[in-house]
Amino acid sequence: MDPSLWTALSALLGAIVGGGISYLLNRQQLANQLRVQQETNKVEFMAETTARHFLEHKSFTDRSFETLRNHLGGFTDDELRRILVRAGAIRVYRADGSEWWRLLSRMEEFIERKQLDEIAREI
């Protein structure tokens, strides 16, 4: 074989091995950064997880702000609202003016339940 071909193949092999090592190291570094960020913001991260837990309950699509505030103490009302938005919730107001929250991902379920309730009332 031609010596220049060996040179090209060894350069290609070196680039592939170096690229693979860089990829693996970069991936590990990103995972470590994510862990550090979660640890740094652990209070907010856990509050968001807890809020999502309450809003994902199978029996309730909506939760009142008062209920969420009672279970997620230690935050001002505006901080709690930011946590709820980060958890994927939207705010709705009832006819009596009370503030309720529901996950945007459960909107279809809410609409279906509302339609079933209307049908049950008609019967």
Side-chain angles (χ1 to χ4, degrees):
M1 275 183 116
D2 187 21
S4 62
L5 183 62
W6 281 109
T7 306
L9 286 175
S10 63
L12 179 63
L13 181 63
I16 290 172
V17 169
I21 291 170
S22 294
Y23 170 77
L24 292 173
L25 290 175
N26 190 31
R27 201 172 109 191
Q28 183 64 36
Q29 184 180 11
L30 289 174
N32 288 339
Q33 286 176 348
L34 178 62
R35 251 191 315 271
V36 167
Q37 283 289 66
Q38 284 179 340
E39 197 61 36
T40 303
N41 300 317
K42 191 170 191 170
V43 172
E44 286 81 11
F45 180 74
M46 289 308 296
E48 200 173 309
T49 303
T50 304
R52 198 173 298 113
H53 169 77
F54 278 102
L55 295 169
E56 287 176 343
H57 191 278
K58 63 182 178 182
S59 299
F60 304 101
T61 56
D62 295 8
R63 292 287 186 154
S64 70
F65 186 71
E66 289 75 28
T67 299
L68 294 166
R69 186 179 351 151
N70 289 338
H71 290 285
L72 290 165
F75 300 100
T76 66
D77 287 355
D78 286 337
E79 287 173 335
L80 182 54
R81 287 182 180 101
R82 284 188 196 97
I83 289 167
L84 290 165
V85 169
R86 279 196 310 265
I90 59 171
R91 176 175 53 187
V92 291
Y93 288 100
R94 297 274 167 97
D96 63 359
S98 60
E99 181 178 342
W100 290 72
W101 289 79
R102 107 175 38 108
L103 287 176
L104 190 56
S105 62
R106 295 187 72 187
M107 188 60 88
E108 284 184 37
E109 180 184 348
F110 171 77
I111 292 169
E112 288 173 11
R113 283 188 181 191
K114 190 174 180 179
Q115 289 172 345
L116 288 174
D117 288 345
E118 288 175 7
I119 292 170
R121 274 189 238 130
E122 290 175 4
I123 295 177

